[in-house]
Amino acid sequence: MRILCFAHLGEQIGSPTLELELGPMTVAAFVEEFRSRYPYARLDQVMIAVNEQFVEEDHLIEAKDTVALLPPVSGG
């Protein structure tokens, strides 16, 4: 599974992209797995997209999918 970490998340985990060997799982299960691997990564209010589509917690992510973690961004 390819993981894209935008904004502060890429800085917190040390890379803007990750390749993780994960089987199919829901978005909720993915978030728990990600938190267990990277407990220092702040996932509060992060939106999740799978294959460039925003998804809900019950969406099933497949092993070949690309998951984007998009934290809120402020601008001016």
Side-chain angles (χ1 to χ4, degrees):
M1 192 176 296
R2 184 170 189 212
I3 316 301
L4 307 176
C5 301
F6 290 91
H8 70 269
L9 287 174
E11 295 169 11
Q12 290 173 350
I13 63 169
S15 177
T17 62
L18 298 168
E19 292 287 337
L20 299 179
E21 294 291 327
L22 299 173
M25 62 178 59
T26 64
V27 169
F30 168 81
V31 169
E32 290 303 313
E33 178 66 25
F34 193 87
R35 281 189 170 136
S36 73
R37 290 177 186 235
Y38 306 98
Y40 44 85
R42 293 177 297 164
L43 296 180
D44 302 338
Q45 301 178 356
V46 168
M47 295 181 69
I48 297 178
V50 176
N51 300 326
E52 300 182 15
Q53 297 290 319
F54 287 111
V55 294
E56 300 292 329
E57 287 187 340
D58 61 346
H59 179 85
L60 185 64
I61 305 170
E62 299 291 341
K64 63 183 178 353
D65 288 342
T66 298
V67 178
L69 303 176
L70 301 138
V73 179
S74 63

